[in-house]
Amino acid sequence: MSQGKRFAPVIVLILSFILLQGILTALDARQTPTKTARAFIQDYYYLDPGMQDYVTAEIREAGTVQDFLNAKTDEATLQGFDIAFLRHMFTRIHLNTISNESDEARVNITGTTRVAINPVYNVIGTLFRLGKTYPVDVTLDLVREDGQWRVRQLP
């Protein structure tokens, strides 16, 4: 009997942690305009085709994202580089929601990026102060489409 009483607080604590983790995970999974803008802008500057997941159906159907990536590939080729040399990763990012209506939002993104041929290059460049940082100041208009927040136009 005393053995059960001794482990009861530990069991209650573990069950409380499990319940709290479930609640926090559910709350974090909600899609917001800020989360969508952050994911899109990071993919946009990294030249990741995954940015297509965050744009409206109109932009996807028009092939705007693929046209943008093709233009960047051509730009890199003209300079004698691979497209990886044009990728940027954020070293600092700040998002500010300017307006947030029921199905439209506007998010301002400011920060700095560095050239990131690969993620390790970005870390090494930051540690040893190699390369330049580039300022970013972009405002994105988002719209709710099929229950998901989507970017209305490319920056």
Side-chain angles (χ1 to χ4, degrees):
M1 185 80 170
S2 65
Q3 288 267 350
K5 288 182 180 181
R6 205 169 85 199
F7 290 115
V10 174
I11 292 171
V12 168
L13 185 65
I14 290 172
L15 292 176
S16 298
F17 283 148
I18 291 171
L19 178 66
L20 183 63
Q21 185 67 33
I23 292 170
L24 293 176
T25 301
L27 288 175
D28 191 45
R30 289 183 330 167
Q31 189 190 35
T32 64
T34 307
K35 285 183 182 179
T36 301
R38 177 185 295 269
F40 170 77
I41 204 71
Q42 287 176 333
D43 284 355
Y44 178 82
Y45 276 93
Y46 198 67
L47 303 177
D48 187 347
M51 76 175 103
Q52 191 159 328
D53 298 340
Y54 304 106
V55 297
T56 60
E58 180 182 336
I59 293 174
R60 279 193 306 272
E61 291 166 4
T64 307
V65 171
Q66 195 57 47
D67 292 344
F68 168 72
L69 293 174
N70 289 341
K72 286 295 189 180
T73 302
D74 293 344
E75 179 185 333
T77 303
L78 284 174
Q79 295 176 4
F81 298 120
D82 183 54
I83 192 170
F85 286 85
L86 298 181
R87 290 181 176 155
H88 285 249
M89 288 182 78
F90 279 89
T91 54
R92 186 183 65 79
I93 186 169
H94 176 74
L95 287 84
N96 181 28
T97 303
I98 297 171
S99 66
N100 189 358
E101 307 298 324
S102 61
D103 49 343
E104 286 188 358
R106 178 170 263 199
V107 178
N108 179 260
I109 303 163
T110 56
T112 55
T113 64
R114 275 186 179 271
V115 172
I117 299 166
N118 63 43
V120 175
Y121 182 84
N122 191 22
V123 172
I124 298 297
T126 302
L127 288 175
F128 295 107
R129 300 186 196 284
L130 300 173
K132 295 190 317 186
T133 58
Y134 300 91
V136 173
D137 189 1
V138 177
T139 300
L140 295 178
D141 291 319
L142 291 95
V143 64
R144 192 181 289 271
E145 184 179 87
D146 298 328
Q148 302 286 318
W149 286 103
R150 304 284 183 199
V151 175
R152 190 178 283 171
Q153 85 287 341
L154 297 183

